[in-house]
Amino acid sequence: MQDFCGALSSGTGSLETCRASHRLYSARPPRPTHFMTQAHSTLEEIRRIRIEKATELQKLGISAYPSKSARDAYAGPILAEYEAHEGKTVTVGGRIMSFRKQGGMAFAHIQDQTGKIQLLIRRETLGETRPADAAIGFTELRLLDVGDIVEGTGKVMKSMRGEISIEVVTLRLLTKTIRPLPDQWHGLKDRESILRKRYLDTIMDPESHRRYASVAKMIAGIREFLNARGFIEFQTPIIQAQYGGGTAKPFRTHVNALSTDMYLAISHELYLKRLIVAGYDKVYTIGRYFRNEGIDRSHHPEFSMVETMAAYENYEYNMDLVEEMFRHLAVNVFGRTEFKVKDQTIDFGPAWRRVRMVDVVSEVTGVDFGAMTTLDEAQAALKKLDVHEHAESIGHALVLAFEHFGEKTLIQPTLVYGQPVEISPLAKPLESDPRWAERFEIYIAGMECGDNWSEQNDPVQLLETWRKAYKVGEEDSGVFHALDFDFIEALEHGMPPTTGIGPGIERMAMIFTEQENIDDVIFFPMMRPAMSNVNAEIFGVDISAAKAPQKE
RNA sequence: GCGCGGGUAGCUCAGUGGUAGAGCAGUUGGCUUUUAACCAAUUGGUCGAGGGUUCGACCCCCUCCCCGCGUACCA
């Protein structure tokens, strides 16, 4: 009785059906071997029936959740090298993706990390349930469902239709699943479900499964590349008292033990520079960055960067480093140099174009901001280009023109250097022309993929720049951060000439996996918390309060 | 923030101001070489939430929630 009307069906909707089953039960003894008492197809009922199946297995002496598997083989290698495996007894394990019972035979496909392989099950071969081995017999196959995780031991052979299969002698349940998989043919299509339950998407869609694995390999490739060049990896704090290294809006948090408000990192570069001061010449971190700003197809509030610092080098060293790193990843992780992004083919093979920002703009618009000497001149030029935003300086005007016209034309990997010093407070000015910074940005497929510069290591200069910026920031309603005097102090102890790169991991992953949406390279994208009605019912949660308007 | 599109069974999707549909999955029975197996029977719905108009609303109107796309903001 408890099984049918207990906590699981506490929702009011099932009251009537519960009563009905009570009547059934008082009329005749329960028949736990059939699930006809309440064979409805709501999720709640499907779930209940599957829990019952687990209970029934338990009664037969078979655990639905054993702790260990005897798996010693994988689908992929068996399929790839059939001859080497033919006739050998193996134990494969995985999730049941399909199940076809046909009288005294049954066929199932199970999926492991490497692929899908067919289990061929014969009544005579499988035999009866043997609790001592935790082996499920032919009659008890009905207690298994698509989605369950099982292991099968048997000989590698081919079915009559020629499909490589395992002729199962021993079938064990490893994990009973109590929710159904999505439609086995269509998979998961609803975008919201895909994002909230990416695990279902990766179960159903091998391409999606592979994609996330290749993002992980890419990150491993970055480490391999940098380690081979003498970089050492450090951890830097995510919770920071000052959020330096940029002008982004931070997330605020509170540290109870210190009774202090702190911030989630918007950047890690000030810490990497302290490491350079500390005497490590080549350092990097692969860290999390948090920016309390907009979300769109290429921005996510929580993202990753690989950030490096190399001492005794300037930005030109980094131009080579970045180019080599992308080529290394393309070739060694993805096995090719060409990638399709937004109908364009990006080629990492040839040497990258290196071009000054002023030259990009003059190529595209015919306007040479480098030749201008007054702000009025620059402002007039902007107007002529139909850009009606206010520029505070010639440099700002150049950046506006670049963002409007230049950026999107940079399809092939391009290093744009010579950014205006006004927008480069942490970079050194070019010795040849102090209006521009020793800085470059990476553009691929019209998207900014990283920012790099020769680090300003003159502590007096930097403090002055920061003070100016802070004033501007104050007027801008406190967006700019407080000065990090601890960092200035470290700099006053002397940081050798240093240069750093900071390509965004997700944007690299988007290019290498040919995705146009950042959510398709982030396994757990940020979502508003939500609970479906059916889950609220199942879990006994009252979501009416959550559904009420909650505007501030 | 604004604009547009979407939310119907566990999944994939139709649908119309007048009794909510299909396929898959589920349940029951049959079938000893299947491949989205097949055959037969069958269950399953607060149509995202709340309010309004109407004799009658899944459909029309309003508010809200969630998602997507576009746009804006943003090292």
Side-chain angles (χ1 to χ4, degrees):
Chain A
M1 214 58 48
Q2 186 63 28
D3 291 331
F4 292 90
C5 301
L8 290 172
S9 43
S10 61
T12 50
S14 55
L15 215 74
E16 290 308 310
T17 45
C18 254
R19 288 218 181 93
S21 88
H22 272 267
R23 260 188 273 119
L24 264 177
Y25 266 152
S26 48
R28 54 185 139 123
R31 291 180 56 202
T33 50
H34 292 126
F35 306 101
M36 55 195 305
T37 45
Q38 291 202 6
H40 305 309
S41 292
T42 61
L43 179 60
E44 243 180 311
E45 296 299 336
I46 289 170
R47 199 169 161 273
R48 184 186 55 74
I49 287 168
R50 287 182 170 216
I51 291 170
E52 262 177 58
K53 287 177 177 174
T55 309
E56 198 179 332
L57 282 162
Q58 220 76 259
K59 282 183 195 152
L60 292 168
I62 289 175
S63 169
Y65 301 95
S67 73
K68 211 176 143 187
S69 164
R71 175 163 77 167
D72 62 10
Y74 293 87
I78 295 172
L79 297 177
E81 304 153 37
Y82 172 67
E83 281 73 23
H85 290 88
E86 187 176 12
K88 290 197 174 135
T89 296
V90 297
T91 299
V92 292
R95 194 182 289 277
I96 301 175
M97 298 304 289
S98 67
F99 192 84
R100 297 174 293 282
K101 197 167 169 245
Q102 182 170 359
M105 282 197 87
F107 297 89
H109 277 100
I110 63 165
Q111 173 171 280
D112 65 26
Q113 233 190 115
T114 66
K116 261 186 232 180
I117 194 163
Q118 178 167 271
L119 301 184
L120 185 154
I121 300 166
R122 269 205 183 91
R123 174 175 276 144
E124 306 84 68
T125 316
L126 195 68
E128 298 298 313
T129 292
R130 308 189 302 277
D133 295 343
I136 294 176
F138 198 85
T139 325
E140 275 66 46
L141 286 180
R142 68 198 168 75
L143 299 177
L144 297 182
D145 289 286
V146 169
D148 286 353
I149 296 163
V150 299
E151 70 173 32
T153 304
K155 282 199 172 111
V156 178
M157 46 87 75
K158 277 189 181 169
S159 73
M160 254 179 190
R161 291 289 178 93
E163 178 164 349
I164 297 166
S165 309
I166 311 290
E167 190 176 17
V168 179
V169 175
T170 304
L171 182 69
R172 292 187 200 88
L173 177 62
L174 297 179
T175 302
K176 186 70 193 163
T177 59
I178 62 175
R179 284 194 189 226
L181 287 177
D183 187 289
Q184 71 170 41
W185 190 244
H186 297 99
L188 206 53
K189 282 277 156 55
D190 176 61
R191 187 70 184 158
E192 182 170 357
S193 299
I194 288 174
L195 295 178
R196 288 190 191 276
K197 296 181 256 198
R198 182 64 81 172
Y199 51 89
L200 288 180
D201 177 51
T202 52
I203 289 169
M204 302 308 295
D205 181 2
E207 199 283 317
S208 180
H209 188 273
R210 264 195 302 275
R211 186 169 69 247
Y212 286 100
S214 71
V215 173
K217 278 187 204 146
M218 185 192 82
I219 295 170
I222 292 169
R223 289 203 161 93
E224 181 186 278
F225 174 86
L226 291 173
N227 292 345
R229 275 157 189 75
F231 283 85
I232 58 176
E233 182 174 4
F234 276 87
Q235 302 295 326
T236 47
I238 279 172
I239 298 173
Q240 305 178 353
Q242 300 290 349
Y243 55 103
T247 62
K249 288 178 191 148
F251 287 93
R252 201 180 293 265
T253 187
H254 184 80
V255 180
N256 289 342
L258 303 180
S259 305
T260 307
D261 285 337
M262 289 205 177
Y263 306 93
L264 301 189
I266 60 163
S267 170
H268 293 266
E269 71 166 272
L270 298 185
Y271 290 91
L272 290 170
K273 288 180 189 171
R274 285 170 169 95
L275 288 164
I276 298 292
V277 172
Y280 305 99
D281 286 350
K282 286 178 170 179
V283 298
Y284 73 100
T285 190
I286 293 180
R288 304 295 281 171
Y289 293 66
F290 304 88
R291 298 190 177 176
N292 210 343
E293 293 165 5
I295 302 177
D296 62 33
R297 296 212 299 175
S298 60
H299 292 83
H300 194 261
E302 177 177 0
F303 63 102
S304 313
M305 284 210 299
V306 49
E307 197 156 3
T308 71
M309 285 291 161
Y312 304 94
E313 302 287 357
N314 76 354
Y315 75 112
E316 288 167 312
Y317 166 88
N318 272 341
M319 286 184 159
D320 295 335
L321 187 74
V322 132
E323 189 177 329
E324 281 168 29
M325 184 166 84
F326 273 78
R327 197 170 291 124
H328 171 89
L329 295 173
V331 173
N332 294 289
V333 178
F334 298 92
R336 58 203 160 105
T337 63
E338 292 191 354
F339 298 85
K340 265 211 152 79
V341 182
K342 292 180 204 158
D343 304 325
Q344 311 267 7
T345 301
I346 310 296
D347 192 353
F348 291 106
W352 294 12
R353 186 176 172 222
R354 300 177 182 196
V355 60
R356 293 193 309 163
M357 187 178 269
V358 282
D359 293 331
V360 173
V361 170
S362 82
E363 269 172 34
V364 177
T365 66
V367 179
D368 183 6
F369 283 87
M372 295 177 189
T373 51
T374 68
L375 178 56
D376 286 348
E377 215 181 326
Q379 196 76 61
L382 271 187
K383 238 174 221 153
K384 236 178 160 178
L385 292 171
D386 215 26
V387 175
H388 299 286
E389 288 159 67
H390 172 70
E392 290 155 20
S393 67
I394 301 173
H396 280 111
L398 169 66
V399 171
L400 284 173
F402 176 76
E403 284 171 354
H404 273 92
F405 306 106
E407 202 168 315
K408 55 182 168 241
T409 67
L410 305 173
I411 304 302
Q412 293 306 316
T414 304
L415 303 174
V416 176
Y417 66 99
Q419 276 70 4
V421 287
E422 301 95 297
I423 63 154
S424 312
L426 293 165
K428 270 188 191 176
L430 277 166
E431 279 169 6
S432 58
D433 188 344
R435 293 178 299 167
W436 317 117
E438 284 203 7
R439 170 181 178 182
F440 69 95
E441 291 168 312
I442 308 160
Y443 285 91
I444 301 169
M447 183 166 72
E448 193 204 318
C449 290
D451 201 354
N452 321 259
W453 53 73
S454 301
E455 305 296 340
Q456 175 58 274
N457 61 345
D458 177 341
V460 176
Q461 269 294 326
L462 186 65
L463 183 58
E464 196 180 308
T465 309
W466 275 13
R467 284 215 153 109
K468 262 191 239 161
Y470 188 43
K471 256 184 201 160
V472 173
E474 272 179 332
E475 286 158 23
D476 211 15
S477 70
V479 166
F480 206 88
H481 53 85
L483 298 187
D484 189 342
F485 291 109
D486 285 341
F487 171 70
I488 297 282
E489 180 182 346
L491 213 56
E492 290 186 355
H493 286 285
M495 181 178 78
T498 296
T499 186
I501 65 171
I505 300 271
E506 288 81 5
R507 298 214 173 155
M508 291 170 77
M510 284 168 73
I511 290 162
F512 285 128
T513 63
E514 305 181 322
Q515 296 302 309
E516 290 179 21
N517 198 318
I518 200 165
D519 288 341
D520 289 318
V521 298
I522 296 176
F523 203 100
F524 303 107
M526 191 177 285
M527 303 283 279
R528 281 206 173 83
M531 183 178 274
S532 64
N533 290 334
V534 64
N535 270 353
E537 191 82 8
I538 286 171
F539 296 130
V541 175
D542 181 10
I543 56 172
S544 56
K547 293 223 159 178
Q550 46 181 333
K551 276 275 153 81
E552 31 194 82

